[in-house]
Amino acid sequence: LSANDFFEDSPLLVSPNPSQGIFTIQSARQFSRLKIYNSLGECVFKKEFENRIDLSEQPAGVYFVELTSKNSTPHIQKLIKE
């Protein structure tokens, strides 16, 4: 991931953020897949899209969720796990 992949005006709402590990995603768009990357760019989590993400098994730090759909470019949102 690069700085250009992060969109400040992302159509996503991830809450709570920061979190102890459980995040909820709200969006008007229909996403089909999600991937989570750690701060080193390593994919630590991937699955079909669900509104709930559980990172409780991951260490505290900064993560990036990448959401993709068939008809649009990926959307990336920063997550902070405490």
Side-chain angles (χ1 to χ4, degrees):
L1 297 175
S2 70
N4 292 336
D5 292 326
F6 183 75
F7 298 101
E8 288 292 311
D9 58 343
S10 179
L12 306 173
L13 175 62
V14 179
S15 63
N17 195 10
S19 167
Q20 295 293 320
I22 306 295
F23 297 89
T24 302
I25 299 173
Q26 296 175 350
S27 176
R29 295 187 185 204
Q30 296 293 322
F31 294 104
S32 58
R33 185 173 190 90
L34 74 88
K35 293 181 183 179
I36 308 257
Y37 297 91
N38 64 17
S39 60
L40 300 175
E42 301 167 327
C43 183
V44 297
F45 187 88
K46 66 180 174 180
K47 65 188 295 186
E48 296 300 311
F49 177 74
E50 292 181 4
N51 289 355
R52 185 175 180 267
I53 300 171
D54 184 354
L55 293 180
S56 58
E57 298 295 319
Q58 297 294 325
V62 176
Y63 294 86
F64 297 90
V65 59
E66 176 186 69
L67 298 161
T68 56
S69 66
K70 295 178 181 169
N71 300 330
S72 68
T73 58
H75 293 280
I76 298 174
Q77 179 75 39
K78 181 168 66 172
L79 306 176
I80 299 173
K81 182 182 182 253
E82 298 178 319

